[in-house]
Amino acid sequence: MYNDDILRGYAPYPHEELIQEGISFNACNKFSIHTDMEDERLLFPHYDWNEYNKIVGIQGRKINMDNYTAKALGIPKYINYIKGYKKESNLYGWSQNHQNIIDKKELIIFEGVKSVLKDDTFKKGLGNSVSVGNHFLSKQQIVFILKNTPPDAEIIIGFDNDIFNNL
């Protein structure tokens, strides 16, 4: 695990791509979004779901590049900046939103990190969502959610519609 010093050397602000998508500066600041200017990637630090101030992973997403272009150029759209990080062993946004989730007794589970940022923007800093970073919930994530949310909490799955089109 790492502290925020691991982000030193990267621009401590988001790329305009996020702002154009309707994600607020406040949400970007709350979630410590940075930009790797050299590799042209947005950096999404993943904080530990138990030690809220410790970074366990950093996902880098290529700026202004869709999946088709990335594939055609042989460039990975997403890379992990911390070797060995497994998204299945964490929930993006839990460290920032856990108190809102508990207070509202509601948890929204998204696939992607940008959905968590949009939720926080829309709710003016009171977001109650997390991202699994995949098309599924891992056993570890399910166990964590059941142990750490109120027993009467509503849990909403907000996965992308391409998942349901492929069932």
Side-chain angles (χ1 to χ4, degrees):
M1 287 193 266
Y2 302 88
N3 61 27
D4 286 333
D5 289 344
I6 194 169
L7 296 169
R8 198 176 307 157
Y10 300 110
Y13 51 82
H15 186 268
E16 66 185 56
E17 177 182 317
L18 289 180
I19 306 307
Q20 289 170 350
E21 286 191 44
I23 297 169
S24 72
F25 280 107
N26 288 341
C28 291
N29 188 43
K30 177 179 174 180
F31 290 86
S32 300
I33 305 304
H34 282 62
T35 302
D36 179 344
M37 302 300 280
E38 188 175 313
D39 199 27
E40 298 180 346
R41 290 186 183 274
L42 293 166
L43 301 183
F44 301 95
H46 291 232
Y47 287 84
D48 186 67
W49 57 13
N50 290 310
E51 293 187 52
Y52 303 147
N53 63 341
K54 298 293 184 185
I55 295 174
V56 292
I58 300 173
Q59 182 183 34
R61 181 183 185 278
K62 197 71 172 158
I63 295 171
N64 294 322
M65 187 172 293
D66 59 36
N67 288 333
Y68 176 80
T69 305
K71 251 184 203 177
L73 296 174
I75 298 170
K77 185 172 178 182
Y78 296 96
I79 62 171
N80 286 318
Y81 279 62
I82 297 177
K83 199 173 200 127
Y85 174 64
K86 303 276 189 229
K87 292 181 276 189
E88 301 85 26
S89 302
N90 203 43
L91 291 168
Y92 179 84
W94 179 265
S95 60
Q96 293 90 348
N97 288 338
H98 68 279
Q99 194 60 55
N100 295 334
I101 292 164
I102 292 165
D103 292 346
K104 292 180 181 181
K105 296 184 180 181
E106 181 181 84
L107 169 63
I108 304 169
I109 303 170
F110 293 116
E111 286 180 55
V113 298
K114 289 195 300 183
S115 296
V116 173
L117 298 172
K118 288 178 183 180
D119 179 60
D120 197 74
T121 296
F122 181 72
K123 294 174 181 166
K124 299 184 181 348
L126 298 175
N128 57 309
S129 62
V130 297
S131 165
V132 294
N134 284 307
H135 302 301
F136 62 89
L137 281 156
S138 70
K139 184 176 180 177
Q140 288 173 288
Q141 290 166 330
I142 293 168
V143 168
F144 181 86
I145 290 166
L146 292 174
K147 280 185 177 178
N148 291 282
T149 57
D152 58 342
E154 182 175 8
I155 298 175
I156 301 163
I157 306 291
F159 282 8
D160 298 348
N161 68 356
D162 63 333
I163 297 306
F164 300 106
N165 291 336
N166 292 324
L167 294 178

